[in-house]
């Protein structure tokens, strides 16, 4: 348990120590974060593709995942709606920055799902021929969390606001309890 917490928090705090003023380095940090996310999803797909008897297990996995997803999402959404009604959030004026279009957001989601699917196909095709080091996703995750720490520091968000945000803690508790 301590090892899992250290994997998450040590790179985040180390990344938070770096203050970057060069926009080129910040752009590279954003790209590295995105590439790490795609690589983690690809590795997840590969590990799914290399499961034994995937063709016979896939319908069962799919139906179980779909059923659990629907139930948990309905419980979470209902609980969060009730929480927001009982304890409404004080809203601040929004920035005038242009938000990405919904089509762009949908395309990004499809690309993420496609990455897992491509990894699954690759893992299925290379099963028994290529033994991919599936534990490498841990190292990629550490790099990604480090980059997120750098991004947090350079976006002006204090670390105290990240971890000791009262609204965020209460929302997390509601989310966890409703997921049980």
């Amino acid at each position: 348990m301590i090892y899992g917490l250290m994997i998450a928090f040590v790179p985040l705090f180390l990344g938070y120590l770096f203050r970057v003023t060069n926009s080129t380095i910040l752009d590279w940090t954003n790209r590295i974060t995105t590439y790490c996310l795609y690589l983690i999803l690809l590795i997840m797909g590969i590990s799914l593709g290399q499961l034994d008897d995937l063709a016979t297990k896939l319908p069962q996995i799919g139906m179980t995942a779909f059923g659990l997803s629907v139930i948990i999402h309905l419980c979470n959404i209902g609980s969060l709606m009730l929480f927001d009604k009982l304890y409404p959030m004080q809203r601040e004026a929004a920035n005038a920055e242009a938000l990405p279009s919904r089509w762009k957001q949908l395309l990004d989601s499809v690309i993420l799902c496609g990455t897992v699917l491509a990894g699954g196909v690759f893992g299925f095709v290379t099963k028994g021929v290529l033994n991919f080091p599936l534990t490498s996703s841990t190292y990629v995750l550490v790099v990604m969390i480090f980059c997120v720490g750098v991004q947090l520091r350079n976006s002006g968000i204090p670390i105290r606001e990240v971890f000791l945000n009262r609204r965020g803690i209460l929302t997390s508790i509601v989310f966890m309890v409703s997921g049980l």
Side-chain angles (χ1 to χ4, degrees):
M1 183 174 141
I2 298 294
Y3 176 73
L5 288 173
M6 288 181 64
I7 284 177
F9 289 125
V10 170
L12 185 70
F13 287 125
L14 289 176
Y16 195 81
L17 294 176
F18 288 93
R19 181 158 193 83
V20 179
T21 56
N22 189 343
S23 63
T24 306
I25 294 174
L26 282 176
D27 288 341
W28 272 102
T29 304
N30 294 337
R31 283 188 200 150
I32 290 171
T33 305
T34 304
Y35 294 151
C36 286
L37 176 64
Y38 287 129
L39 191 56
I40 289 170
L41 291 174
L42 186 73
I43 292 170
M44 284 174 55
I46 291 172
S47 66
L48 284 174
Q50 290 186 344
L51 286 174
D52 292 331
D53 301 326
L54 178 65
T56 58
K57 292 180 182 177
L58 197 57
Q60 181 184 4
I61 292 171
M63 289 305 296
T64 304
F66 178 74
L68 286 174
S69 179
V70 167
I71 292 169
I72 290 173
H73 277 84
L74 289 175
C75 290
N76 286 341
I77 290 170
S79 298
L80 291 174
M81 286 173 59
L82 180 65
F83 175 69
D84 194 47
K85 286 285 185 193
L86 295 175
Y87 303 100
M89 186 171 149
Q90 301 296 325
R91 305 206 191 275
E92 298 176 9
N95 293 341
E97 296 177 16
L99 295 174
S101 72
R102 292 182 192 250
W103 288 109
K104 169 79 169 117
Q105 293 174 348
L106 182 65
L107 178 64
D108 289 343
S109 298
V110 169
I111 290 173
L112 292 173
C113 293
T115 304
V116 176
L117 186 64
V121 170
F122 180 77
F124 185 74
V125 170
T126 61
K127 182 175 155 183
V129 177
L130 177 67
N131 289 329
F132 195 77
L134 300 176
T135 57
S136 61
S137 63
T138 305
Y139 303 112
V140 178
L141 180 66
V142 168
V143 171
M144 186 173 97
I145 293 174
F146 175 82
C147 290
V148 168
V150 172
Q151 290 173 333
L152 278 174
R153 171 66 180 253
N154 292 289
S155 65
I157 300 174
I159 196 97
R160 182 174 183 198
E161 188 176 318
V162 172
F163 289 107
L164 300 177
N165 178 351
R166 184 176 186 273
R167 177 72 180 195
I169 291 171
L170 289 175
T171 304
S172 302
I173 291 170
V174 169
F175 197 76
M176 286 188 306
V177 169
S178 69
L180 296 176

